[in-house]
Amino acid sequence: MAVRQPNPGYVKESAVINAPLEAIWSMIAPMTFKFCSNIAQAKKNEDDSSTLGQYTIAYTDNTVQTVRMTSMSEGHSDKRSVGFELVQSEPAVSYTSVMHLITLTAVTHSQGGPQTFVEYSSDFSTDADTEAIQDSKYKKIEFFQDLQKAVA
């Protein structure tokens, strides 16, 4: 019988993107993720009555997920963030829940033009296995690569 690995439950990746904070925020805040190569379409659900909205994201592998925006912060001139949680997935995921947070911070001292420090974290329920955690890590790396290409 295979021994199940303990779940660290939390994944955080970060990158410095060569673009001003507002340029990156304008691509992240609408939750359409048009720059992501693994997303075919994303849109806000118009019939949703929640305060910050729900969004349907269709991936290129035919997975369709609904996420609920849980927070949005634009209160500081040099920092922005958006939080969202998974509501539904087709096909179903192997874990109960996950909360995501994308935080942007303007780099205040750089040599080659405006830069933004981007952090993308995911907090999984304890039933998430190592495969789900590692998949999340690699998808974040792809997210940063796509984001850098989009602003180049």
Side-chain angles (χ1 to χ4, degrees), residues 16-129:
V16 174
I17 304 297
N18 296 317
L21 180 137
E22 289 303 328
I24 296 172
W25 185 241
S26 70
M27 292 189 287
I28 301 222
M31 297 281 292
T32 56
F33 303 110
K34 291 180 180 180
F35 61 90
C36 290
S37 59
N38 67 335
I39 295 179
Q41 181 182 18
K43 63 181 174 129
K44 186 173 184 178
N45 298 346
E46 297 302 326
D47 59 344
D48 176 57
S49 62
S50 64
T51 305
L52 296 173
Q54 288 193 12
Y55 299 79
T56 299
I57 302 171
Y59 294 87
T60 55
D61 68 356
N62 296 319
T63 299
V64 178
Q65 295 184 331
T66 301
V67 297
R68 177 183 304 115
M69 188 184 297
T70 57
S71 65
M72 179 178 275
S73 175
E74 297 177 306
H76 300 283
S77 62
D78 65 344
K79 196 167 199 141
R80 306 280 184 275
S81 66
V82 62
F84 53 100
E85 65 183 340
L86 181 65
V87 175
Q88 183 179 6
S89 181
E90 282 298 326
V93 292
S94 61
Y95 44 87
T96 307
S97 65
V98 62
M99 299 281 293
H100 303 284
L101 180 65
I102 300 173
T103 304
L104 313 179
T105 306
V107 173
T108 59
H109 180 75
S110 65
Q111 299 296 322
Q115 294 180 315
T116 303
F117 180 69
V118 182
E119 290 180 298
Y120 189 168
S121 63
S122 299
D123 193 2
F124 287 85
S125 55
T126 58
D127 59 345
D129 59 19

Side-chain angles (χ1 to χ4, degrees), residues 120-141:
Y120 189 168
S121 63
S122 299
D123 193 2
F124 287 85
S125 55
T126 58
D127 59 345
D129 59 19
T130 304
E131 183 179 333
I133 302 295
Q134 287 300 310
D135 184 57
S136 177
K137 174 186 174 74
Y138 293 120
K139 285 182 178 166
K140 286 170 179 48
I141 293 168

